[in-house]
Amino acid sequence: MVVAWHDSGLPRRRLSRSVRPLPPTALFHRLDLLSPSEARVCRHFNQMATLDGSTLFLSVGSYVSPLSQLASGVESLGAVQSITAYLSDNTQLIANPGLRLGVRTDATALYQISDFWKKQHEDSDLSKYIVRRYAAASSGVAIMYPGTLLDRSFDPRSQSWYLSALSNPGRVVVSPPYLDPGGAGYITTASHTVYQVGRKAYGNKANAGHHGY
């Protein structure tokens, strides 16, 4: 299980780590490759984005051969189709397209929060103050809402909000104001850790969540 601490005063939220496939409606971050029927794409500040759901991002560190992924440049449509087919496969017959062990499980666990984030965005009066939400795992898997197209070189594990959360487990860490690279002006970030417990095979692993205000 993964236990996530939220600073909203709500009870702790538990995310299952059972190895289930991603839902077929899950969105990959390459929004520029989607058809209009798959997602309604808009501009969120200076980034291509969608409010239809969170998007999944795999950093090059999520692959067995990170250097070859960097050398190949942006993901092609064929590569995206192979990745999403593997992650959403419930037959276990589709070959792994070169992802590290644990990436599929992390993607499944993180994506469970997608509907919650979307509902919060639609229902909360505070949504106009929240620029974006991130969650990332040590495998290099990340999801974000609004769904956003990211540069291939992005690695959530090197971001200050992720590192700050890991350095302060169980606490909400608020950053000083900084200029948002996504074009939202000066923002602050509140980040907190998410822990995996109860599954000895995986050990104790910390993840970080990000909220820009």
Side-chain angles (χ1 to χ4, degrees):
M1 299 292 289
V2 175
V3 181
W5 281 265
H6 292 266
D7 59 341
S8 60
L10 297 175
R12 293 176 178 177
R13 301 181 59 82
R14 294 181 178 269
L15 304 179
S16 171
R17 288 190 64 88
S18 57
V19 186
R20 298 174 298 172
L22 282 179
T25 55
L27 300 173
F28 199 67
H29 84 106
R30 286 299 306 275
L31 298 175
D32 54 324
L33 298 177
L34 297 180
S35 67
S37 63
E38 293 175 292
R40 294 168 295 177
V41 176
C42 61
R43 180 67 60 177
H44 185 56
F45 298 102
N46 64 6
Q47 293 178 303
M48 182 179 289
T50 181
L51 294 175
D52 288 348
S54 299
T55 48
L56 177 70
F57 175 81
L58 304 181
S59 71
V60 294
S62 299
Y63 295 83
V64 175
S65 301
L67 293 180
S68 64
Q69 291 297 319
L70 277 177
S72 65
V74 297
E75 305 99 328
S76 65
L77 177 59
V80 171
Q81 291 173 337
S82 295
I83 292 168
T84 53
Y86 170 71
L87 294 177
S88 61
D89 174 38
N90 59 8
T91 67
Q92 299 187 6
L93 297 177
I94 296 179
N96 183 342
L99 301 178
R100 287 174 48 199
L101 182 67
V103 165
R104 184 178 182 181
T105 305
D106 285 343
T108 298
L110 290 179
Y111 211 83
Q112 291 178 77
I113 204 171
S114 178
D115 289 341
F116 174 76
W117 278 352
K118 183 178 180 182
K119 181 174 176 56
Q120 286 289 94
H121 176 81
E122 294 171 346
D123 297 344
S124 175
D125 293 334
L126 298 177
S127 294
K128 60 183 177 181
Y129 302 110
I130 300 176
V131 177
R132 63 184 66 87
R133 299 169 172 88
Y134 281 93
S138 60
S139 61
V141 178
I143 65 167
M144 63 227 71
Y145 188 86
T148 306
L149 172 65
L150 295 177
D151 189 271
R152 189 72 189 281
S153 63
F154 177 76
D155 191 332
R157 300 167 300 177
S158 65
Q159 303 302 302
S160 59
W161 54 265
Y162 183 88
L163 298 173
S164 295
L166 294 187
S167 299
N168 298 273
R171 297 182 178 181
V172 175
V173 182
V174 180
S175 74
Y178 63 95
L179 190 61
D180 175 38
Y186 282 94
I187 63 173
T188 62
T189 296
S191 57
H192 59 84
T193 49
V194 180
Y195 286 99
Q196 175 192 344
V197 296
R199 290 289 296 274
K200 187 175 181 180
Y202 291 99
N204 294 321
K205 181 173 67 175
N207 303 315
H210 163 279
H211 302 267
Y213 295 86

